[in-house]
Amino acid sequence: MLTFILKRLGQAVPVLLAIYTITFFMIRLAPGGPFSDERKVAEHILERQMEYYGYNDPLIVQYGRTLLQHVKLDLPPLTSHIGLTAADIISESFPVSLELGLWAMAIALFLGVPAGVIAASRQNTWLDYTPMSLAMTGICLPTFVVGPILALIFGIWLRWTSVAGWASPVDRILPSLTLGLYYAAYIARLTRGGMLEILSSDFVRTARAKGATEFRAVVIHALRGGILPVISFLGPALAGLVTGSFVVETIFQVPGLGRHFVLAAVNRDHSLILSTVLFYASLIMLANLMVDVLQVLLNPKLRYK
Amino acid sequence: MLRSLTTLYSLLTTVLAALLLVSCAKHDDGKATRDQATADNILLFGNSSEPPSLDPHLNTASNGNKIITALIEGLVTYHPSNDNLPEPGVAKSWTHVDSTIWTFQLREDARWSNGDPVTAHDFIYGYERMLHPDLGAKYAQLLYLLKNAQQFNEGALTDFSEVGAKAIDDHTLEITLEGPTPYFLGLIKHHSWHPVHPPTIEAAGGMTKPDSAWTRDNYVGNGPYRLKEWVISKIIKVEKNPLYWDKENVSINEIHFLPIDDINTEDQVFNSGGLHYQNTIPTHMFPIYEKNEDPYLRVEPWIGSYFYRVNVTEPHLADKRVRQALSLAINRRAITKRILKGAHFASQSITPNGIEGYQPPQCQDFNPKKARQLLAEAGYPNGEGFPTSILLFNSSEQHKQIAEAIQQMWLNILGVEFELRNQEWKTYLESQQNLDYAISRAAWIGDYVYPDTFLTMFRTGDGNNMTGWSNARYDKLITDSMKVSDSTKRLAMLHEAEEILMDEMPIIPIYHYARNYRIDPAVKGWYPKLTDNRNFKFISLEPDKRNSTSE
C-alpha cells in the first residue's frame, strides 16, 4: 500500500509541472495585463511596474523564476492585492472553502445515499420515481438558480437565515445546502445504479435465502458494494465542491478561494492564477489518491491484486 | 426491514431540521441586523468589492477611496453637502497668491493614530512618495500641477527640493503650482494628495516599495477612523480614532465595509436588513423600486459621463459630418427611458451639469432628417458605401442593450451597419487603447468638480484620448486656460473648447450618470454629492422613531 501511495505521489510531480507550464503560457496569451486600467497608465509608470514585478525579463527566465518560487514556496507578490502573496490569500480563504465543501458533502451524502438506496430497493414504485425525478431536477437546476431562490425563501420571506455572509453558524446553511443539493442529486442516482446491480447479485440472494432481514440484506450486505461508484465519484466531487464553489461563494458572499480563483483571471494577476491553479491541482490529485486508497480498503477484489 | 431504515432516516432528518430551526431561532430576535447595528451605532456599508489596496498613494479604486477617506485626512476634506466648497481637514486655514502659491496653516493638534503629530513634513514625504518614479504610482499624474512634479516623476529631475512643495515649519506648508488653479482645494481632497506616516512606511521597506505591506500589518492613519479588522473579501471594520483632533464631532462608532461584488446579492442583503447603504441597484430592480416609491431609493446627479468614442483614424469616420450624423441618429431619451428606466439622464455634452459657473455646451439632439442629410453630404447617401464597422463594448447586459438599440437606430435611420463586439474587461481596455475599434463604449467619472477633469483627456496624444482625434485650437484653449487665474474667463475658454468637442464629435455623449443607491433613513447627515465622496465624520445614525414605537 505504501509503495502504491509513493508511486502515485511520484507521478504527481510531472503532472504538476505540465499543469504549471500550460497555465504559465496560456495566461500570457490573454490580451491585457495586470497593470492596465480604465485610465491609461503612463508609459514610464507601466515600465516601472513591469520591472518591479519581473515582467521585463525574457519569458523563459520568468518561467524558471516563478517555478522556483513555487517549489520553494516563496511566492511572488500579487498585483491585485498589493502587499500580499498567494500564500496569504490561500491560507485565509481556503479554510472557508474547505468548510463549505465539507458541509455540502455531508448534506449530499446524507440526502443522496439514502434516497438512492430506497429507490433501488423499491425499483419502479413511487419510492423510486419521486426521489429520482427530484434528483433529475436537482442536476438540471444550476446553483445560481437554486441559491437565490433559497435565499429568497429562507432569508427574506421566512427570515430564518441570513441571505449572505460568513459570520455566524447560520450563514453556513444556505451555501452548504445550495452546493450540497446539486451533488446529492448525482449521488442519489449513482447509489441507485450501484445498488441495483448489487441487489440482483448472487450473494445478496444467498443472504436473503439464509433469512437475513431486508434491512440487513440491503444495508449490511449490498450497500458496501453498491456504494462503490459513489466512492469513486467522491474524489472529483470533493475537489469540485472545494474548488468549484465560485458561483455559490459569489451568491452568498462567502470569502472562499473559489472567488479569488476566478477574479485572479479577470484581474490578470498572473501570480495568483498560477498559485491557485497549482494548489487546486495538488488538491484534486490528493483527493483522488485518497479515494483510490479507500476503494482498495472497501473492495476485496482490488486488495489482492 | 427497510421500514426501520426509513424510520432512522426520517429521524435524522427531523434532528437536522430541528437544529436548523434552533440556530435560526437564535439568529432571529425579531430585529433586523440593521436595526441592531443602528442601536450599536455601527454603519453597515455595501462597498462593491475588495479594494486592491488601502494605501492612499497606490489605490486607484473608488471602493478603496471611501475607506481611505475614513482612515487618512488630507489638508482639506469633503464638505458635508456641497462639492464646490472645501472643508478644513489637517489645514485650519490657507491663503493663496493668484491661486498659484498656496500656504496652508496646519492645526497643531492633528495626530497620527500612534500619537505622533501630523506635520507639514509628512505631507512633503507623501508628495515625494507619490511622485517618486520608483514607487510607480498609477495616479501620480494627479499631482502634476505641482511645480516640476512631472519632471520629477518622469525621472528628468532627481532633486525633490525643486518640486513646488516646501515645509516652512512643522505646521506651515507652502505649495507652488505650475500655474493658477482655482479648483486646487477641490483637487487635494483626493487621497493621492494625502500624507502618510514616514516611520511606518520606512519600517515596511521604504518609501518606494511598490508592494509595501504597511497597510496590511500596521495601518497608521490620521483620519476620524482607524483600521480595526481586515479580512480579505469578507469585511473591513474601522472604528473611531481616539486620537483624532475632532473626535468629539465623530458620531458613528464603527463602519463595516462589506465587499459584496454581486449586485443581486447586495440587493438581497439590503432587503433582508443587512445593510444601511446599498452601493448598486440591479438594473432590473430599479423600475420596481421606482414604481413602488421605495423609501430607501436615491437617484442623484453624479459627475460622470457615458459616451461612445469614435475612432477618427478610420477613413470613413474621419469626416466630422459622419460623426455628427451618427450622433444625430441616436434617440437618447428613448434609451434613458426604455433601457435605463429613468435611472440616468440623457446627455448632449461630455461635462455633466452641476459645476459651479459652468453650463456645458450641448451637441444637437436627435434629428433623423438632418442625420441622413449630413451622411449624404459626406458621401454615403442612405448608408451606401459605408463599410460594416465594429461597435465595441465590455461585456455587460446593459452595455449590450444600449449597443443593440443604437445599432438599430443607425441601421434604420442611416442605413449603416455596425457589428457588435463585446469583450471581457481587460481585453476591451487593450482594444480601446490600440484603437482596434470603430466605435467604443466608454465612461468617465470626474476626480474633482471642474470641467478640466473631463476636457484635458481629449488633448492631442493624451493617454486617455484613445480616439486618434487632434485639434490644435482645442489643445491651445485647454493649455491657455491653465494660465488664467480669473475663473469666469477660464471657464469661458473651457466652454469654447467643449463647443469644439461637441461639434467635431470624436466622442458621442449618451447619458450622464446618476448615482442610484438605497439608504436606510436612520443614516443622517447624508446629502447628495456630485462626486459621491463623503467624509464619514459628518454622518450619524439615529434609530427611526416610527420603528421604535411600533416595537
Side-chain angles (χ1 to χ4, degrees):
Chain A
M1 182 60 99
L2 190 68
T3 33
F4 168 74
I5 295 176
L6 284 177
K7 213 167 119 189
R8 287 289 297 270
L9 285 177
Q11 284 167 354
V13 176
V15 174
L16 280 177
L17 188 69
I19 290 174
Y20 169 80
T21 310
I22 294 170
T23 313
F24 182 88
F25 290 104
M26 252 169 65
I27 54 180
R28 296 307 176 98
L29 287 179
F35 309 112
S36 60
D37 208 328
E38 185 159 26
R39 290 160 191 237
K40 173 101 166 100
V41 180
E43 282 307 322
H44 68 284
I45 301 289
L46 196 62
E47 189 55 31
R48 167 62 185 155
Q49 296 272 351
M50 301 272 278
E51 179 205 321
Y52 186 81
Y53 288 98
Y55 283 87
N56 284 350
D57 300 321
L59 204 56
I60 196 73
V61 174
Q62 296 182 39
Y63 172 85
R65 184 180 52 223
T66 319
L67 182 61
L68 206 66
Q69 284 167 329
H70 278 96
V71 170
K72 290 198 289 191
L73 288 180
D74 173 24
L75 299 178
L78 301 182
T79 50
S80 63
H81 297 273
I82 295 169
L84 296 182
T85 68
D88 299 309
I89 301 281
I90 293 174
S91 63
E92 196 158 303
S93 59
F94 178 64
V96 175
S97 286
L98 185 67
E99 192 193 332
L100 172 60
L102 289 177
W103 280 118
M105 181 59 88
I107 290 174
L109 287 173
F110 184 78
L111 296 176
V113 172
V117 170
I118 294 168
S121 56
R122 289 286 179 272
Q123 197 191 354
N124 299 337
T125 67
W126 65 273
L127 272 173
D128 182 15
Y129 296 139
T130 317
M132 283 310 113
S133 328
L134 282 175
M136 206 59 222
T137 320
I139 290 172
C140 295
L141 277 179
T143 46
F144 60 81
V145 173
V146 177
I149 291 177
L150 289 178
L152 185 68
I153 297 173
F154 294 104
I156 304 228
W157 291 347
L158 298 173
R159 300 242 163 181
W160 287 359
T161 62
S162 47
V163 293
W166 194 255
S168 65
V170 193
D171 295 340
R172 271 72 172 166
I173 297 174
L174 289 187
S176 314
L177 209 58
T178 309
L179 204 53
L181 284 178
Y182 182 73
Y183 283 90
Y186 267 103
I187 287 176
R189 292 183 61 83
L190 280 173
T191 311
R192 179 179 176 272
M195 286 300 283
L196 279 181
E197 200 181 309
I198 300 287
L199 279 175
S200 60
S201 63
D202 292 344
F203 78 92
V204 178
R205 200 169 21 169
T206 313
R208 280 185 173 138
K210 284 164 76 183
T213 60
E214 178 73 7
F215 181 80
R216 205 179 155 78
V218 172
V219 176
I220 308 291
H221 292 280
L223 187 58
R224 190 164 166 180
I227 199 107
L228 278 175
V230 176
I231 303 287
S232 28
F233 175 66
L234 278 188
L238 184 65
L241 278 168
V242 172
T243 59
S245 48
F246 164 72
V247 175
V248 172
E249 286 179 13
T250 306
I251 294 172
F252 293 105
Q253 189 55 24
V254 177
L257 189 52
R259 280 165 77 200
H260 289 291
F261 186 45
V262 174
L263 290 176
V266 173
N267 293 323
R268 303 287 195 275
D269 191 333
H270 296 146
S271 314
L272 191 54
I273 301 174
L274 275 174
S275 305
T276 41
V277 164
L278 286 176
F279 181 76
Y280 277 155
S282 322
L283 204 70
I284 291 171
M285 285 193 285
L286 208 66
N288 280 330
L289 178 60
M290 269 160 52
V291 165
D292 288 345
V293 171
L294 206 63
Q295 264 180 330
V296 173
L297 292 179
L298 278 180
N299 190 346
K301 282 185 200 161
L302 291 170
R303 210 174 301 163
Y304 296 109
K305 264 184 191 167
Chain B
M1 289 299 279
L2 181 68
R3 196 162 297 136
S4 54
L5 179 72
T6 33
T7 320
L8 178 77
Y9 181 61
S10 48
L11 191 77
L12 280 169
T13 319
T14 321
V15 171
L16 190 76
L19 274 174
L20 186 101
L21 279 172
V22 167
S23 53
C24 297
K26 250 199 248 163
H27 168 75
D28 190 3
D29 54 356
K31 251 182 169 181
T33 326
R34 176 163 67 209
D35 295 336
Q36 186 56 49
T38 306
D40 297 340
N41 209 1
I42 296 172
L43 178 68
L44 304 173
F45 195 88
N47 200 34
S48 75
S49 56
E50 170 77 15
S53 173
L54 292 183
D55 188 322
H57 300 146
L58 296 177
N59 174 62
T60 54
S62 66
N63 52 24
N65 179 17
K66 296 212 161 69
I67 306 171
I68 293 170
T69 305
L71 296 173
I72 301 189
E73 187 174 72
L75 291 166
V76 292
T77 182
Y78 300 107
H79 186 273
S81 60
N82 186 345
D83 277 313
N84 287 299
L85 298 176
E87 173 72 25
V90 176
K92 57 182 179 188
S93 64
W94 49 84
T95 56
H96 65 87
V97 181
D98 198 26
S99 67
T100 307
I101 300 173
W102 294 75
T103 311
F104 293 89
Q105 206 58 48
L106 275 48
R107 57 184 83 248
E108 275 93 32
D109 51 352
R111 290 278 175 282
W112 289 103
S113 51
N114 68 350
D116 290 354
V118 179
T119 68
H121 306 285
D122 301 338
F123 280 88
I124 304 287
Y125 183 89
Y127 302 152
E128 182 172 355
R129 177 168 187 255
M130 184 73 195
L131 286 167
H132 205 292
D134 287 348
L135 183 72
K138 287 185 190 168
Y139 276 14
Q141 282 139 302
L142 284 176
L143 269 69
Y144 280 5
L145 272 84
L146 277 177
K147 195 170 170 54
N148 292 334
Q150 183 166 2
Q151 289 88 319
F152 181 77
N153 187 238
E154 286 171 355
L157 186 74
T158 49
D159 182 5
F160 188 74
S161 64
E162 287 181 47
V163 176
K166 193 160 69 183
I168 306 284
D169 58 49
D170 277 0
H171 296 101
T172 313
L173 181 67
E174 188 187 89
I175 289 176
T176 310
L177 304 180
E178 286 281 353
T181 311
Y183 57 90
F184 183 60
L185 293 174
L187 186 69
I188 59 175
K189 294 171 190 171
H190 192 266
H191 55 72
S192 54
W193 290 84
H194 284 0
V196 283
H197 182 245
T200 304
I201 305 288
E202 292 301 325
M207 182 193 257
T208 58
K209 193 174 186 319
D211 63 332
S212 172
W214 72 274
T215 60
R216 311 266 172 189
D217 310 331
N218 173 28
Y219 203 108
V220 178
N222 67 334
Y225 290 88
R226 63 179 183 188
L227 191 61
K228 185 185 176 192
E229 192 186 339
W230 184 355
V231 185
I232 304 160
S233 296
K234 186 177 176 187
I235 198 163
I236 293 179
K237 292 182 184 175
V238 301
E239 61 184 357
K240 245 190 220 181
N241 176 2
L243 294 176
Y244 181 60
W245 62 271
D246 195 18
K247 61 176 182 294
E248 287 78 19
N249 292 318
V250 179
S251 171
I252 296 174
N253 282 339
E254 278 187 27
I255 307 168
H256 295 181
F257 294 95
L258 295 150
I260 311 182
D261 33 26
D262 186 90
I263 55 173
N264 293 309
T265 301
E266 193 192 20
D267 195 58
Q268 288 209 334
V269 174
F270 187 90
N271 285 336
S272 72
L275 288 173
H276 285 109
Y277 172 84
Q278 176 186 350
N279 187 62
T280 317
I281 294 173
T283 323
H284 63 278
M285 293 308 288
F286 181 84
I288 299 172
Y289 295 142
E290 172 112 287
K291 194 169 152 234
N292 296 345
E293 295 178 2
D294 186 293
Y296 306 121
L297 181 67
R298 298 277 188 285
V299 183
E300 291 158 3
W302 191 20
I303 190 157
S305 260
Y306 186 106
F307 57 96
Y308 276 0
R309 285 193 164 93
V310 186
N311 180 358
V312 304
T313 63
E314 294 272 327
H316 62 291
L317 297 170
D319 188 332
K320 80 170 179 187
R321 286 172 299 186
V322 176
R323 306 195 292 264
Q324 287 171 339
L326 292 173
S327 170
L328 285 164
I330 297 176
N331 188 344
R332 297 174 173 81
R333 262 147 265 280
I335 291 171
T336 48
K337 194 174 166 202
R338 306 246 178 260
I339 300 174
L340 304 170
K341 315 278 185 196
H344 303 281
F345 317 117
S347 71
Q348 286 156 255
S349 64
I350 176 85
T351 309
N353 298 316
I355 299 173
E356 207 170 57
Y358 189 79
Q359 196 50 251
Q362 310 281 300
C363 68
Q364 294 180 61
D365 202 5
F366 182 55
N367 187 338
K369 202 173 148 216
K370 192 159 180 212
R372 277 189 289 265
Q373 186 197 333
L374 279 171
L375 195 69
E377 280 174 24
Y380 305 102
N382 302 318
E384 283 157 28
F386 194 90
T388 304
S389 317
I390 303 292
L391 171 47
L392 174 73
F393 57 96
N394 57 303
S395 308
S396 129
E397 194 47 44
Q398 193 163 72
H399 300 332
K400 185 169 154 224
Q401 285 178 359
I402 293 173
E404 281 170 350
I406 291 178
Q407 180 194 35
Q408 268 309 307
M409 291 173 191
W410 283 343
L411 182 66
N412 293 345
I413 294 168
L414 299 173
V416 296
E417 279 197 50
F418 277 85
E419 183 191 314
L420 300 189
R421 178 176 292 171
N422 80 82
Q423 287 180 340
E424 169 269 352
W425 180 244
K426 291 265 183 177
T427 315
Y428 149 84
L429 290 179
E430 182 115 335
S431 299
Q432 192 169 245
Q433 279 190 6
N434 297 338
L435 294 187
D436 189 9
Y437 71 89
I439 306 279
S440 164
R441 174 260 154 194
W444 193 262
I445 307 296
D447 293 310
Y448 47 91
V449 187
Y450 209 72
D452 282 30
T453 190
F454 289 92
L455 299 180
T456 51
M457 67 174 145
F458 297 108
R459 284 180 298 180
T460 305
D462 190 285
N464 288 312
N465 182 317
M466 295 190 266
T467 61
W469 183 69
S470 163
N471 182 297
R473 174 85 188 130
Y474 183 87
D475 293 351
K476 188 166 157 44
L477 277 166
I478 300 281
T479 317
D480 286 354
S481 79
M482 293 180 178
K483 295 170 195 141
V484 177
S485 54
D486 177 64
S487 195
T488 319
K489 208 174 147 200
R490 186 168 173 138
L491 287 170
M493 293 168 86
L494 291 171
H495 192 275
E496 197 188 331
E498 191 167 356
E499 269 174 4
I500 296 174
L501 198 66
M502 286 302 100
D503 175 59
E504 285 268 326
M505 312 222 77
I507 50 149
I508 301 174
I510 299 182
Y511 65 81
H512 287 149
Y513 279 105
R515 273 292 293 136
N516 302 151
Y517 60 95
R518 290 198 293 163
I519 191 164
D520 186 81
V523 182
K524 306 291 178 196
W526 181 283
Y527 299 98
K529 293 289 297 282
L530 208 49
T531 58
D532 192 38
N533 287 320
R534 290 170 184 85
N535 192 326
F536 290 101
K537 78 182 228 191
F538 300 118
I539 292 162
S540 59
L541 285 168
E542 272 172 40
D544 196 351
K545 297 257 166 19
R546 281 168 302 139
N547 270 354
S548 44
T549 46
S550 69
E551 262 170 25

